Amino acid sequence: MAEVKDPMKSGEAAPEEIEASASGSESVPAGEGSAGKEKPKRPPMTPKKKKKLIRWGIIGGVTLVVVIALSKLLGGGAQAEAEVVEDTVVYNSITSTVQGSGITKAKESKTITLTTSGTVQEVFVTEGQQVTAGTPLFVIDSETARTAVEKARKDVDGFQKQLNAMQKDIAGLNLTPPFAGKLKDIVKLNVGEDISKGTKVATLVDDRTMKLQQYYSYAYEGDIRVGQAADVSIPALMGNVTGTVSAVHMVDRISPEGARLFEVEFSIKNPGTLTGDMVASAVLTAGGESVYPYEAGKLEYNRIIDLKTTVNGTIVSTGLLDYLDVTPGKVLVQIDGENSENELFSLEQSLTDAQKTLKTAQENLDNCSAVAPIDGTVMGLALTGGEEVAANTTVISIADTTTILIDATVDERNIGYVKAGMSVDLDQWGTPFMGMVQSVSLNSKVENGVAAYPMVVSVDNLDGSLMSGSNVTYTLVASQNDNCLTLPIQSVKNAQFVDGSSGYVVFIKASKAPENAAELAVPVDGIPEGYYPVPVEIGISDNYNVEIKSGVEEGTVVFTTTQMENSYGW
């Protein structure tokens, strides 16, 4: 800081002396006249000396002003004081709004991309044209696409056949008889031993019904019919059973004696005493007389099959016994076929992949003669008649711009008030539009410690005036209260209470702690004496004020903040 010299101490002329000298008058210092001595007069000033004295006076005055100002700015002699700012709880109106910006997009859009190459035959639309679903778009000739579909379809058919066979085999993990019957010629199996696919473990015979084949002379042609009863003689039983003609075959068998014979089949219900290879003869009645077969035959089982394993694996259990009567569904052998199950799973995956490949190939082939997938506007077209189109080229895009969507967000303060159907004011570079909240997600995204909830705004755009892909600003009145208690946002503090909970408080001005004063676990910094914390419930808020729903009454004086002021008053 520049030093200011006192003219009285430095011997230089004081301001009043400078003024007198400048006028040319004489000056007698005080006290000289009382001593009776006359001080010699100063010689007259020259113009040069007068100018010098005036210049020094101006410099001294300016310096003094600068020194005073700097002393104020630097606190020279000024004491900074804290001034408490208070506010009063009053009734007011408050409106909470949600504002932001977003990019517009069509409600629905589709693109067609070819994954194979081809030659453009015809193009039926132009960019900007309005189309409806099903409108022909273009025709592309692609041999590659046709070949891909054929190959994919063969792969699907092949895997499906393998899977069907494998599923049938897997059913054999629990080997069961396909029909009721009796077991014969069983194979001794041991639990824990391995068994191979296709191993015969038993023979199953259907002995509930027996069959008999007989030959008769053509002399009885026409006298024997299906359903006709017969008396079947069983020598081993020394008795007869009833049989029924099940089939007549007009074959031509010649006996050693030269007789012509035809075949007749009989079905005989087993009373429980018949078995295979029993000798039997069936006698019919025709024209009132008995008709005998050329020779006796042997009883056969109605059905007979070999039971075989259909998978490789380890025997878990077995219930095979010779001559055991069984019924369908009874588990005869149980096999652990882990490898077969893994193979089945692998085949299922292969089939699924092949089906996806076929679907993609078919879609691409269909796209070679594409139609519009939706109603809308042709937004992009990359086709010219006669040109070759490379694989993986997006050839056309269609968007339905009759409805425009904007992705927006709502902060955690207002999310509870925003509902679907609310009106939204939109602005696109000065042009206003009216939208509506279509949906609000309850899954928030946290950025910089603030939770934001996704919101979708929809706008009717039948005239196409709102372009997709452009920036718009939006404003939404989330909530409004025209008569509520309010305080400045700064007056409401976050606090931790002694019971471990947290909430909002205001510090009310009082001579002593009120009855509803809260006990804080952590003091709030910057609160002066004479103010006490009282819990409050808050509601909506705007950029400046917050609604006080409960805790304090109208007219209550609360602490807001402190601001520093020095002794100069500024």
Side-chain angles (χ1 to χ4, degrees):
M1 182 181 293
E3 181 181 358
V4 180
K5 296 183 179 180
D6 187 347
M8 298 297 293
K9 292 182 179 181
S10 63
E12 296 183 7
E16 58 269 25
E17 294 177 333
I18 294 173
E19 184 179 355
S21 300
S23 62
S25 62
E26 295 181 354
S27 175
V28 179
E32 291 295 332
S34 62
K37 295 182 181 180
E38 185 177 335
K39 193 170 184 178
K41 296 180 179 180
R42 293 180 181 176
M45 288 187 179
T46 65
K48 185 176 181 180
K49 288 184 177 182
K50 288 182 179 180
K51 291 181 180 179
K52 183 177 182 181
L53 285 174
I54 291 171
R55 185 169 62 249
W56 275 106
I58 293 172
I59 293 174
V62 173
T63 302
L64 181 60
V65 172
V66 173
V67 170
I68 293 173
L70 289 174
S71 67
K72 287 186 177 182
L73 290 174
L74 299 176
Q79 180 65 39
E81 298 179 356
E83 180 182 0
V84 175
V85 178
E86 299 174 340
D87 280 282
T88 304
V89 180
V90 296
Y91 276 97
N92 204 345
S93 63
I94 189 170
T95 300
S96 180
T97 60
V98 176
Q99 297 178 321
S101 63
I103 302 298
T104 59
K105 63 180 180 181
K107 180 180 181 180
E108 185 179 13
S109 61
K110 296 289 185 180
T111 60
I112 296 177
T113 301
L114 298 180
T115 59
T116 56
S117 59
T119 303
V120 179
Q121 301 293 309
E122 292 182 88
V123 180
F124 305 115
V125 295
T126 58
E127 192 165 325
Q129 179 178 333
Q130 295 289 325
V131 295
T132 57
T135 300
L137 301 175
F138 54 81
V139 174
I140 293 176
D141 180 40
S142 177
E143 180 63 29
T144 304
R146 288 192 292 272
T147 301
V149 169
E150 293 172 1
K151 180 181 182 305
R153 185 172 288 116
K154 288 180 180 178
D155 290 342
V156 168
D157 292 342
F159 284 122
Q160 186 65 65
K161 290 178 181 178
Q162 293 181 55
L163 183 60
N164 292 342
M166 178 57 68
Q167 288 173 334
K168 184 177 179 181
D169 290 346
I170 286 293
L173 290 174
N174 292 326
L175 183 60
T176 59
F179 54 83
K182 185 175 293 183
L183 297 181
K184 295 182 64 179
D185 306 327
I186 69 160
V187 175
K188 181 66 175 178
L189 301 177
N190 298 312
V191 174
E193 70 181 8
D194 292 334
I195 193 167
S196 300
K197 176 180 178 180
T199 300
K200 177 184 174 181
V201 297
T203 297
L204 174 65
V205 297
D206 177 7
D207 63 347
R208 270 58 171 174
T209 302
M210 306 300 290
K211 295 191 301 184
L212 176 63
Q213 184 183 64
Q214 301 275 261
Y215 287 92
Y216 296 88
S217 171
Y218 262 91
Y220 300 102
E221 179 183 1
D223 293 330
I224 302 176
R225 300 173 302 277
V226 173
Q228 188 175 350
D231 188 27
V232 181
S233 173
I234 311 292
L237 299 179
M238 293 183 295
N240 298 334
V241 295
T242 301
T244 303
V245 176
S246 57
V248 177
H249 303 295
M250 304 310 295
V251 297
D252 195 4
R253 176 186 173 186
I254 306 300
S255 70
E257 297 81 14
R260 294 178 62 230
L261 308 173
F262 63 91
E263 182 187 62
V264 178
E265 291 184 6
F266 295 89
S267 175
I268 305 165
K269 289 185 178 180
N270 190 352
T273 56
L274 304 180
T275 186
D277 292 334
M278 279 185 170
V279 175
S281 295
V283 179
L284 297 163
T285 300
E289 62 180 36
S290 296
V291 179
Y292 293 91
Y294 168 73
E295 59 189 355
K298 291 185 178 181
L299 295 179
E300 299 176 3
Y301 296 113
N302 185 46
R303 286 178 292 180
I304 181 170
I305 62 169
D306 290 334
L307 296 179
K308 297 181 179 180
T309 58
T310 59
V311 293
N312 299 318
T314 303
I315 296 174
V316 176
S317 65
T318 178
L320 298 176
L321 292 172
D322 269 329
Y323 309 113
L324 176 69
D325 283 326
V326 296
T327 55
K330 179 180 176 59
V331 177
L332 302 178
V333 180
Q334 188 175 13
I335 300 173
D336 178 8
E338 182 178 352
N339 292 337
S340 296
E341 291 175 340
N342 292 337
E343 186 178 351
L344 176 65
F345 178 77
S346 178
L347 274 175
E348 290 174 338
Q349 289 297 109
S350 296
L351 177 60
T352 299
D353 292 342
Q355 289 171 334
K356 290 180 179 178
T357 300
L358 175 59
K359 180 181 178 182
T360 300
Q362 187 62 56
E363 287 176 350
N364 193 60
L365 180 60
D366 293 342
N367 286 340
C368 289
S369 299
V371 297
I374 60 172
D375 295 347
T377 304
V378 178
M379 306 298 291
L381 181 63
L383 291 176
T384 302
E387 71 173 354
E388 293 291 327
V389 180
N392 301 315
T393 299
T394 298
V395 295
I396 195 170
S397 59
I398 300 174
D400 179 5
T401 58
T402 56
T403 300
I404 294 293
L405 303 181
I406 300 103
D407 291 327
T409 57
V410 183
D411 59 35
E412 55 189 330
R413 181 183 63 182
N414 291 303
I415 185 61
Y417 303 102
V418 178
K419 307 296 181 185
M422 285 184 169
S423 297
V424 182
D425 292 324
L426 302 167
D427 183 276
Q428 184 184 46
W429 306 112
T431 302
F433 295 90
M434 180 62 69
M436 181 184 69
V437 176
Q438 177 172 291
S439 64
V440 182
S441 173
L442 296 182
N443 294 320
S444 65
K445 298 178 181 179
V446 179
E447 295 181 1
N448 299 322
V450 178
Y453 295 81
M455 172 179 69
V456 177
V457 177
S458 65
V459 186
D460 289 336
N461 189 44
L462 296 177
D463 61 357
S465 57
L466 184 57
M467 300 299 295
S468 62
S470 62
N471 185 74
V472 295
T473 59
Y474 56 85
T475 302
L476 165 67
V477 176
S479 53
Q480 185 172 354
N481 195 332
D482 293 329
N483 188 28
C484 62
L485 294 174
T486 64
L487 276 172
I489 291 176
Q490 297 93 325
S491 300
V492 181
K493 319 291 183 184
N494 275 310
Q496 296 288 331
F497 303 118
V498 293
D499 62 359
S501 64
S502 62
Y504 296 103
V505 298
V506 297
F507 286 84
I508 68 172
K509 185 177 184 179
S511 58
K512 63 177 182 179
E515 293 182 358
N516 60 338
E519 293 186 38
L520 303 184
V522 180
V524 178
D525 293 337
I527 306 301
E529 295 183 0
Y531 299 90
Y532 300 91
V534 172
V536 293
E537 179 186 2
I538 67 172
I540 64 176
S541 62
D542 56 22
N543 293 333
Y544 306 100
N545 299 311
V546 61
E547 176 188 7
I548 305 298
K549 302 179 75 172
S550 65
V552 292
E553 299 178 347
E554 181 185 15
T556 303
V557 178
V558 303
F559 168 79
T560 298
T561 186
T562 57
Q563 64 182 20
M564 304 306 295
E565 183 180 88
N566 57 40
S567 58
Y568 295 110
W570 50 268

